[in-house]
Amino acid sequence: MGAGIRILAAFLAALAAAAGVAAQLRQDYYAAVCPDLESIVRDAVSKKVQDQPVAVGATIRLFFHDCFVEGCDASVILVSTGNSTAEKDHPNNLSLAGDGFDTVIKAKAAVDAVPACTNQVSCADILALATRDVIALAGGPSYAVELGRLDGLVSLSTNVDGKLPPPSFDLDQLTTLFAANNLSQADMIALSAAHTVGFAHCSTFAERIQPASVDPTMNATYAADLQAACPAGVDPNIALQLDPVTPQAFDNQYFVNLVNGRGLFTSDQVLYSDARSQPTVVAWAQNATDFEQAFVDAMTRLGRVGVKTDPSQGNIRRDCAFLN
């Protein structure tokens, strides 16, 4: 009971803080200065995904890793300097694919190529729009994106510690971490479905497929397939698709996989194996429309996390990778 009360208290505190942020963001934030912003970004993102389909999962993951560390402020894109190690060089971020960063950089260049839009749109907002666009391009829902974020002025590797959920987390650990970011357990379950696209290195799930002790919540055939693809001593650069059924489609197959014991990470499969979250997983496995609405609502709330709108907290970066 004590843990439950603490989670609720953290969630309510974050909810109150987020209410002010939501009031400052708005969908038409750039209407006067860059009216064609969304189509410019969408075209650039579409070209990138056409060239590199892996940009879909890479961009979604980049947005999540950005928002959960110092808020949605594009601080994860900043590069390290001689005397300061940036977020992107933290061990937990080294696996962020370069195609996610490149998606934002190419979209920023396209926006700045329009004279009226040059240096008018934040990298944080471009990342939020690009994330929506890659999801839609992969067959997922399109949705309105709130805008008005400023780019952060700080990016420190040490700020990442304890902010991102490792693949070993259980339901309580996941719920607590998401509650600290004003996200409910239902939001967490919905956002976890981003694992319907993308890849994971063998090391992130190796503990679950040890021949002598395969995780009992994993489908035996799936475990055998993973063991064959990730044998002992496998090249650490080898990565497998998170969704073995529809790997390039953003859909509710993620939840169907969980029901069938085919969640890749412990933090995925626990959403079904824990009786408290299982009903939500089953419901969304059976109803894609309900899942998509929950996902859109959760993404909107994720996009409000730690947002900076005061000029003392941020600005609009001329180059997303460097401070002005």
Side-chain angles (χ1 to χ4, degrees):
M1 179 65 73
I5 292 174
R6 285 194 298 274
I7 291 172
L8 179 60
F11 178 64
L12 291 176
L15 186 66
V21 169
Q24 295 176 65
L25 299 179
R26 62 181 195 271
Q27 295 169 20
D28 64 350
Y29 186 83
Y30 296 103
V33 294
C34 188
D36 296 325
L37 171 63
E38 298 207 21
S39 61
I40 297 168
V41 172
R42 189 179 303 111
D43 288 347
V45 171
S46 181
K47 290 187 180 74
K48 174 64 185 180
V49 170
Q50 191 169 16
D51 291 342
Q52 296 288 345
V54 296
V56 174
T59 304
I60 298 170
R61 189 161 179 250
L62 185 66
F63 183 61
F64 178 81
H65 279 232
D66 182 45
C67 292
F68 261 43
V69 180
E70 299 300 302
C72 307
D73 65 351
S75 54
V76 74
I77 302 177
L78 288 168
V79 299
S80 296
T81 58
N83 58 357
S84 179
T85 304
E87 290 175 27
K88 69 180 297 185
D89 290 322
H90 186 279
N92 291 354
N93 281 333
L94 293 178
S95 61
L96 289 171
D99 285 304
F101 294 94
D102 193 53
T103 299
V104 179
I105 290 167
K106 281 187 164 54
K108 166 75 167 168
V111 171
D112 284 349
V114 178
C117 303
T118 305
N119 297 329
Q120 296 293 320
V121 183
S122 70
C123 301
D125 279 342
I126 290 174
L127 174 54
L129 288 168
T131 301
R132 183 268 311 274
D133 292 338
V134 297
I135 289 167
L137 286 166
S142 188
Y143 51 91
V145 175
E146 297 174 338
L147 302 168
R149 303 166 188 80
L150 292 176
D151 296 323
L153 306 176
V154 176
S155 182
L156 296 173
S157 175
T158 51
N159 287 341
V160 181
D161 294 338
K163 299 292 179 60
L164 298 170
S168 59
F169 261 18
D170 63 22
L171 185 68
D172 287 328
Q173 291 169 314
L174 289 167
T175 301
T176 299
L177 184 61
F178 277 70
N181 290 284
N182 186 40
L183 296 163
S184 67
Q185 187 176 89
D187 290 332
M188 177 271 290
I189 298 169
L191 292 171
S192 294
H195 287 171
T196 188
V197 290
F199 297 81
H201 292 96
C202 295
S203 60
T204 58
F205 53 86
E207 290 295 318
R208 300 190 69 211
I209 60 170
Q210 295 302 309
S213 57
V214 173
D215 187 329
T217 66
M218 181 178 281
N219 176 285
T221 303
Y222 185 45
D225 290 343
L226 295 174
Q227 288 168 344
C230 295
V234 68
D235 182 339
N237 293 315
I238 295 295
L240 302 189
Q241 292 160 329
L242 288 163
D243 179 349
V245 182
T246 57
Q248 292 187 315
F250 194 99
D251 53 22
N252 70 327
Q253 182 64 41
Y254 171 81
F255 298 108
V256 178
N257 292 342
L258 298 187
V259 172
N260 294 328
R262 291 173 177 265
L264 189 58
F265 299 148
T266 297
S267 58
D268 292 320
Q269 194 58 48
V270 74
L271 302 180
Y272 179 75
S273 60
D274 194 305
R276 294 170 294 175
S277 48
Q278 186 180 98
T280 302
V281 170
V282 172
W284 290 342
Q286 296 173 345
N287 192 315
T289 302
D290 286 354
F291 154 62
E292 288 191 353
Q293 185 57 59
F295 180 80
V296 167
D297 291 344
M299 284 295 287
T300 300
R301 284 188 280 273
L302 174 61
R304 296 170 181 168
V305 173
V307 164
K308 297 161 180 66
T309 57
D310 189 302
S312 67
Q313 300 176 311
N315 57 24
I316 293 175
R317 265 180 240 146
R318 290 186 290 273
D319 183 324
C320 293
F322 298 93
L323 294 175
N324 290 348

